Amino acid sequence: SYELTQPPSVSVSPGQTARITCSGDALPKQYAYWYQQKPGQAPVLVIYKDSERPSGIPERFSGSSSGTTVTLTISGVQAEDEADYYCQSADSSGTYNVVFGGGTKLTVL
Amino acid sequence: QVQLQESGPGLVKPSGTLSLTCAVSGGSISSSNWWSWVRQPPGKGLEWIGEIYHSGSTNYNPSLKSRVTISVDKSKNQFSLKLSSVTAADTAVYYCAREVVVVVAATRERWFDPWGQGTLVTVSS
């Protein structure tokens, strides 16, 4: 079955840049999406179609794609950005399945 | 803006059927969106369960397909999830979400926004 691979954890100091990667064989053919989830809360969409930012999401959140890897970048990280981040894409094999990465815990030191 | 709210029993016995409903407010379930269920076991990641369109068309995660039924009630502006033959492994927070679907270069692109607050369902005797 199709899988998306994320690092389990990323740590940065306030004001620095955090980069969270997500790898998957179908990513050159399918867009990726990113969600932020804080403890006890539902996920919130922060990036769609690799690099588009929904209204209301701070400009410090950005996304990029290169080959089989997509990257969520948070510039000037703030304490409030500490959360779990999940990438999501679709299985391109025709099963209509949606796949999430395992999630990355972002720790702001 | 669209808001979603899950409801249903928080405790289900093993081998029983889990039943949840998602009420949609601030918008019509008959809009050009799909509607999905996603679950998250305690301390673990997200798993897509399945989706439904207001016409009744559905697609399910292949790993759950044999046990899942998603239905829609347009008159009540809500959709529902049934998961049969549950075990402790089905214990999770269950979320409903609006699924935005667009076709880009013959590829079906989908993302979830917004989500309901989620409801914890525990499978235990």
Side-chain angles (χ1 to χ4, degrees):
Chain A
S1 61
Y2 183 51
E3 293 183 353
L4 296 173
T5 301
Q6 298 180 235
S9 62
V10 168
S11 299
V12 296
S13 298
Q16 290 190 327
T17 297
R19 294 180 179 84
I20 301 172
T21 59
C22 173
S23 299
D25 289 342
L27 289 178
K29 295 176 285 186
Q30 300 271 175
Y31 283 118
Y33 306 86
W34 289 95
Y35 302 88
Q36 176 194 67
Q37 186 180 34
K38 296 181 179 179
Q41 298 183 19
V44 173
L45 178 75
V46 294
I47 293 290
Y48 67 101
K49 289 201 287 183
D50 287 351
S51 60
E52 301 291 325
R53 194 174 53 250
S55 61
I57 300 302
E59 292 184 5
R60 63 180 181 274
F61 288 86
S62 63
S64 61
S65 175
S66 179
T68 59
T69 299
V70 293
T71 302
L72 172 68
T73 300
I74 310 173
S75 304
V77 167
Q78 300 181 7
E80 67 195 53
D81 299 329
E82 184 164 289
D84 292 325
Y85 290 85
Y86 293 90
C87 61
Q88 172 247 308
S89 190
D91 186 338
S92 63
S93 67
T95 65
Y96 289 105
N97 198 20
V98 169
V99 179
F100 289 93
T104 299
K105 170 66 177 178
L106 174 65
T107 299
V108 181
L109 301 170
Chain B
Q1 71 275 21
V2 171
Q3 293 183 311
L4 301 97
Q5 178 68 57
E6 306 88 348
S7 62
L11 181 64
V12 180
K13 287 183 167 48
S15 77
T17 296
L18 178 160
S19 297
L20 296 173
T21 296
C22 179
V24 178
S25 60
S28 174
I29 203 164
S30 296
S31 64
S32 58
N33 295 297
W34 287 67
W35 307 91
S36 268
W37 288 97
V38 178
R39 71 179 182 178
Q40 184 173 36
K44 296 188 178 181
L46 301 166
E47 179 181 36
W48 180 72
I49 299 170
E51 64 183 0
I52 191 164
Y53 195 61
H54 60 77
S55 64
S57 295
T58 55
N59 293 299
Y60 300 130
N61 184 325
S63 68
L64 298 169
K65 187 174 183 177
S66 64
R67 299 193 291 131
V68 174
T69 301
I70 298 176
S71 59
V72 64
D73 186 336
K74 290 184 286 186
S75 67
K76 295 182 178 179
N77 218 41
Q78 64 186 33
F79 62 107
S80 299
L81 168 70
K82 290 189 185 298
L83 181 66
S84 63
S85 305
V86 297
T87 69
D90 294 310
T91 293
V93 175
Y94 285 76
Y95 296 98
C96 58
R98 181 180 65 178
E99 182 179 337
V100 180
V101 179
V102 298
V103 177
V104 179
T107 298
R108 189 170 182 256
E109 293 290 341
R110 311 130 76 183
W111 65 94
F112 306 101
D113 180 46
W115 299 55
Q117 66 182 26
T119 187
L120 174 63
V121 179
T122 302
V123 178
S124 175
S125 56

